[in-house]
Amino acid sequence: MTREEFRLFSAGIRGKLMTLVGRFPQESLAPLSAEDVVQDTLVVLWQLMEKGYPVRDPEALSVKIAKNLCVAVYRRKKTGTDLPGEDICGGYSATERTDASDIMLIKERLCRRLTPSQRSYLSMRNDLGLSLDEISARTGRPKSSIKTTISTARRLLLKLLEKEVL
């Protein structure tokens, strides 16, 4: 099945899968939504077809995958074996991936408003996990100056974020 054929197939089957997944109580699927389960179903189906799995009836297989995903989510939730945000395929749900991408874009946009030294110190502190002593040794700046710069940068980011959200 080509990408275009799969796109047309997925557009046609989406409603049926949403109805099927909607029969499961939403509390049993949380934190996933019905849309997440349908997306994951279509991803699994596409991956199977790309790997050369012989698919005689894609509609029947997608219904089976959706049911199995719902039951697996329910069982994992009931036994407490699931990890927060992890989906059945071992990755993250579509919503989690989108949220993470959005957060990264907002963070990058806000950080561009900081001075180069603020960005540098925050990166060393938050991304690299360096202590104030280590940052001081790398930059040759006094610890108190670095601490003040990081504090100012964090306050500015908070103010910018509040403007962005509200």
Side-chain angles (χ1 to χ4, degrees), residues 74-93:
Y74 173 75
R75 286 180 179 160
R76 291 174 91 186
K77 185 174 181 179
K78 189 166 178 103
T79 61
T81 58
D82 63 332
L83 299 173
E86 190 173 330
D87 73 4
I88 302 306
C89 303
Y92 290 90
S93 67

Side-chain angles (χ1 to χ4, degrees), residues 107 111 114-132 134-135 138-139 146 149-151 153-154 157:
K107 182 180 174 185
C111 284
L114 299 174
T115 65
S117 63
Q118 288 173 328
R119 276 195 305 269
S120 174
Y121 294 161
L122 270 178
S123 175
M124 284 188 263
R125 182 74 169 154
N126 297 338
D127 300 338
L128 301 177
L130 300 178
S131 69
L132 292 176
E134 292 168 326
I135 297 171
R138 280 190 178 191
T139 61
I146 294 168
T149 303
I150 290 174
S151 178
R154 286 180 176 162
L157 284 175

Side-chain angles (χ1 to χ4, degrees), residues 5 11 19 24-25 31 43 46 56 69 73 83 87 95-96 103-104 108 110 112 114 128 131 137 145 155 166:
E5 290 170 336
T19 302
F24 286 84
V43 167
W46 177 254
R56 290 189 302 262
L69 287 174
V73 167
L83 299 173
D87 73 4
T95 303
E96 296 281 332
I103 289 168
M104 184 61 78
E108 287 173 2
L110 293 178
R112 282 194 298 258
L114 299 174
L128 301 177
S131 69
S145 171
R155 278 196 306 273
L166 302 176

Side-chain angles (χ1 to χ4, degrees), residues 59-71:
E59 183 175 336
L61 182 58
S62 62
V63 167
K64 185 73 163 177
I65 291 169
K67 284 181 180 179
N68 288 342
L69 287 174
C70 289
V71 169

